[in-house]
Amino acid sequence: MTSEDERSPWRPQLQTTLGHCLGALALLPPLVGQASAHGVGPSSFEAPLPLPYLLVGAGATVALTAVGLGLLGSVPEGSRRLTRLDGRWPTRGATALRLGFLALVVAVIVQGLFGRQVAAENLATVAVWPLWIKGFALVAVVSGSPWRLLSPARTLYRVLSAVEGRPLGARALPAWVGSWPAVAGFACLVSVENLTAATREPATTAGLVAGYLALVLAGGVVFGPDWFRRADPFEVFYRLLGRVSVLSIEVAGAPAGRRPVPECAGGRGAGESGARADGGLAEDRSTSAALLPPVRRLDRVDIAVRPPWRGAARPVAGSGLATLVVTAVYAVSFDGFVETPTYQTLLFAVRNATGLGPMAGLVVFVAGLVSALAIFALIATFTGYLAGLSRPSLAIAPTLVPIAAAYEVAHTYTYVGANLGRLPALVGGAVIDPLWWLGIPGFWASQVVLLVAGHLVGVLAAHAVLSRRTDRSGTVLAHLPLVGLMVGYTMISLWIVSLPVVG
Amino acid sequence: MRIRTAVALVVVLSALGSATAVGLTTSSTELTERWISDTPRDTRVNHHGIGTGPDGVVVAPVSRVGGAENMAPNDCALVRLAPDTGAVRWRAGVAPANCTTHALTKPAIATADGTRSETVFAASTERALHAWDVTTGQERWRVPLSTYGYGQPALFERDGKAPAVVVSDIGGEVSFVANQSVRWRHDLDASTWASPIVADVDGRPGREILVGTNQHTTALTPEGEVAWQSAGAGEYVALGPPGDGSRLVIVSRTSAIEALDGASGRSVWTQNVSGSAAIESVTTDGPVPTLYAGLSDGRVLALDARTGERRWLTRLDDADQVITPPPAVGDLNGDSTTQVVAVTSTGLVTVLDGETGSVRASYSRDVPIYTAATVADVTGDGVDELFIRYGDGRVVALEYR
């Protein structure tokens, strides 16, 4: 930030406020000492300060940021272009990427079904859960969703449309469907991931991938591209995460005037349509040029940077998307929570009380999700009442996306890195550890920094949302319920990530 | 829709549908919970194994970490569990002042006539070898040790008499206990984690007592004399297949697995490994006698026990810092084939095909496992049961089907 010049959209006073908060957090890694050798260090360590102090300090940082914003006024939301690319190369590259990823998915299915049934050695389990599902989430957070570009169902759809000679899918997807198919798919995904052995079974993984592809492709053939945008859980989830990416890729030369998208009626604001692939690596129609003539080729692609809260300050278009945001935040938190002794205590309390045996895990998961949705609805309603928002959950839900994104990155980046390093071993090479330099203290410190940063971005986004509807004093008042939620969740998140490692 | 498009769509969807059906039905075997014992402790480092005996005896040592607050009499205790429900039958506690992670060793169960369990033996941090009544949990007698024990005591069966007990303490002193008294002690003066093994390994009449330490592997006679002593450490010891008259003794330590001649202790073959190798089981019922080793990087290695040549290598877990205790073997589903049960410190239990190393089924809790699974037929139905010692004090009984 110190290298930002006058063209920066970030105002100096805001930089100062955030600088103090983030500067204090940036001191954490040196405080916890040098990273030990990855894989040989201790599994726990003494935190540089008592855990209660850290939790209170982090919560106070979030609260003080909200107070500071109330005093300063609005938050900047502009962007700045970094570079412009000739449109031919992204088009060719996109086609190659699409076909390459489709080939990889086919290889995943074949090896998953017929390869050696060892999770750590089979392409299906190594590629699907860590690299596809988690890895693309990280990509989405950093540079926008890659899924509209890479989706194998979309690629197959394009191939079939090319065979047909026109785009398939004449029937309109009813508006009332919204994004609920994606929500259902996402709920299934996190349930399978957290509560079954599928992540350890190559054949099951291959079967799930094939089933997912069949369902999404069949829907696309019936309903056309709207189906992919609103029903594919990966496309919807990654697009939501892409809202916080600091990179923005804008496409020029794509056809204008697209069919309205009911669920994503936010239009450009929701990152769904228009020439700008907001939070995406490529615009939909233009990148279909290679397989679906006639389509205008791209003229240019602009790559810009933007503040991460800008996308999180735009409302989502339906309650399905709001539900998915809350589910995403809850799921990634639950994924961390299950690794703590506290979860074991809770789980066995439920087991003993209900006699449900192994099903108690599902009960805990669902009960937690319902509670999370209820708390969110309560906070959103209260905030909406204070700010005069008509559909507050749609405006408030995206302000939680930075938290989901931060937790996703904090919880999975080592998992993704380790499995990336395992890819050479699948073709006879040696395992590479790209995170060899990272020890337990450094990993924990990175989690703390990411989580607090995510909550700060969430606070900024919520402030931006509320300041559009209220005056300065009204914004501060309306922001209170959300700030309380953010402070509480900051502390809970840090507690969850600290329990397994901080001695 | 044109016919050519419809045909292409049918082909694609049929292929995907078939893959879905095959994928979701291939994993026909699974590991499922039968029960989880209600024996939690406020620690995740319980790592002493579960003892079993005939007629449904399952006994687990459960411990807290030493120095914990409000230590109660049964916080460190030997707990007998019902084989069908995991309910606690009795507890035999260690004095709170002696309650630590290593309070009790894996117990050995002696039988009266080979079919009926009678006595439970374990060493404790009360510096003693204890004998408990298997039915009531009442302590029958104890003999003192120099310090606490670590490995499971071994039974030295004697015709027409109650078995003698061989126990080694952590400092390497081996005690031979018969008729409730110590017949002899032999101090090996080295750290001893492995359980003693009683077997005829030299091919001559009588049995030897094998004790592995971090310095040597030693074969003792029933009178406590040294029959032979190897040059290298034997942090884990397993009985190998019969050789020319004698039987191989296989030991492992950091960086190596070594087979020793049971008659002389000389090296027969050595297999270098990365990290350390934990061994316990050798199968001799297949075409190739096979040794299974848990490596310190989350992999299981199968070696031809006669030659040391590698048969297969399977990675169980790719997480960092994975401890892989010794794999156990047994017939878990009554199909007369051997399955290998491997566990990891990430809480994962995996059943492997003994011949190929492929994964057949798995189960996991987000709680560490630091000791080998116990595989034994405690119900007498010809099918082995599977018990897992989790670090939080709970025991999980699993069913493979």
Side-chain angles (χ1 to χ4, degrees), chain A residues 343-361:
Chain A
Y343 171 75
Q344 293 297 324
T345 303
L346 174 64
L347 178 67
F348 280 92
V350 173
R351 281 181 74 124
N352 295 337
T354 62
L356 284 172
M359 288 300 290

Side-chain angles (χ1 to χ4, degrees), chain A residues 203 235 281 386:
Chain A
E235 183 149 336
L281 285 180
L386 294 173

Side-chain angles (χ1 to χ4, degrees), chain A residues 106-492:
Chain A
V106 171
V108 158
I109 294 173
V110 170
Q111 222 214 340
L113 293 179
F114 305 112
R116 193 164 185 246
Q117 295 300 300
V118 177
E121 301 172 3
N122 192 293
L123 180 65
T125 32
V126 170
V128 171
W129 302 99
L131 302 182
W132 166 351
I133 295 176
K134 299 299 182 187
F136 286 149
L138 301 192
V139 172
V141 170
V142 173
S143 58
S145 171
W147 202 244
R148 293 173 73 178
L149 173 67
L150 297 177
S151 165
R154 277 186 179 265
T155 303
L156 287 170
Y157 168 83
R158 286 185 173 89
V159 171
L160 290 170
S161 294
V163 172
E164 180 74 1
R166 62 179 177 82
L168 290 168
R171 297 188 61 177
L173 186 62
W176 60 266
V177 172
S179 290
W180 287 107
V183 178
F186 186 77
C188 287
L189 174 69
V190 296
S191 300
V192 166
E193 188 181 10
N194 285 300
L195 302 171
T196 76
T199 57
R200 302 190 296 268
E201 296 174 351
T204 305
T205 299
L208 290 171
V209 169
Y212 152 79
L213 263 183
L215 279 175
V216 177
L217 175 61
V221 168
V222 175
F223 297 111
D226 268 5
W227 175 261
F228 300 116
R229 278 191 291 271
R230 294 160 56 191
D232 181 348
F234 294 113
E235 183 149 336
V236 175
F237 177 55
Y238 294 151
R239 191 171 62 235
L240 282 170
L241 290 180
R243 283 171 170 248
V244 300
S245 69
V246 292
L247 284 180
S248 168
I249 300 172
E250 299 181 7
V251 177
R258 305 179 63 177
R259 186 171 56 189
V261 182
E263 172 68 12
C264 306
R268 291 180 70 245
E272 291 292 339
S273 59
R276 185 185 67 208
D278 206 2
L281 285 180
E283 204 280 333
D284 185 36
R285 292 196 174 194
S286 56
T287 48
S288 66
L291 291 170
L292 271 179
V295 175
R296 286 170 51 189
R297 74 169 179 81
L298 298 177
D299 290 335
R300 63 178 186 274
V301 176
D302 290 336
I303 300 176
V305 291
R306 60 182 186 178
W309 54 83
R310 191 176 79 170
R314 297 192 318 268
V316 292
S319 53
L321 288 178
T323 303
L324 199 149
V325 171
V326 178
T327 305
V329 174
Y330 170 76
V332 73
S333 304
F334 184 83
D335 200 17
F337 181 51
V338 296
E339 296 173 6
T340 66
T342 307
Y343 171 75
Q344 293 297 324
T345 303
L346 174 64
L347 178 67
F348 280 92
V350 173
R351 281 181 74 124
N352 295 337
T354 62
L356 284 172
M359 288 300 290
L362 179 61
V363 170
V364 172
F365 178 80
V366 172
L369 177 57
V370 171
S371 302
L373 289 167
I375 291 170
F376 169 75
L378 191 67
I379 297 285
T381 303
F382 192 30
T383 302
Y385 171 74
L386 294 173
L389 298 169
S390 58
R391 297 189 69 185
S393 64
L394 308 190
I396 301 301
T399 68
L400 303 183
V401 172
I403 299 169
Y407 213 136
E408 189 76 35
V409 175
H411 193 59
T412 63
Y413 80 90
T414 55
Y415 177 53
V416 174
N419 280 279
L420 264 179
R422 190 158 304 290
L423 285 179
L426 297 182
V427 291
V431 174
I432 300 168
D433 185 359
L435 298 172
W436 57 270
W437 47 272
L438 183 66
I440 296 291
F443 171 58
W444 174 78
S446 71
Q447 288 186 305
V448 171
V449 170
L450 282 164
L451 288 176
V452 175
H455 283 84
L456 291 178
V457 173
V459 166
L460 283 157
H463 180 84
V465 169
L466 297 173
S467 62
R468 292 175 196 149
R469 302 298 300 263
T470 58
D471 59 18
R472 185 172 293 186
S473 59
T475 299
V476 172
L477 182 64
H479 204 170
L480 279 177
L482 267 177
V483 170
L485 179 67
M486 296 284 186
V487 169
Y489 206 72
T490 301
M491 298 170 74
I492 290 172

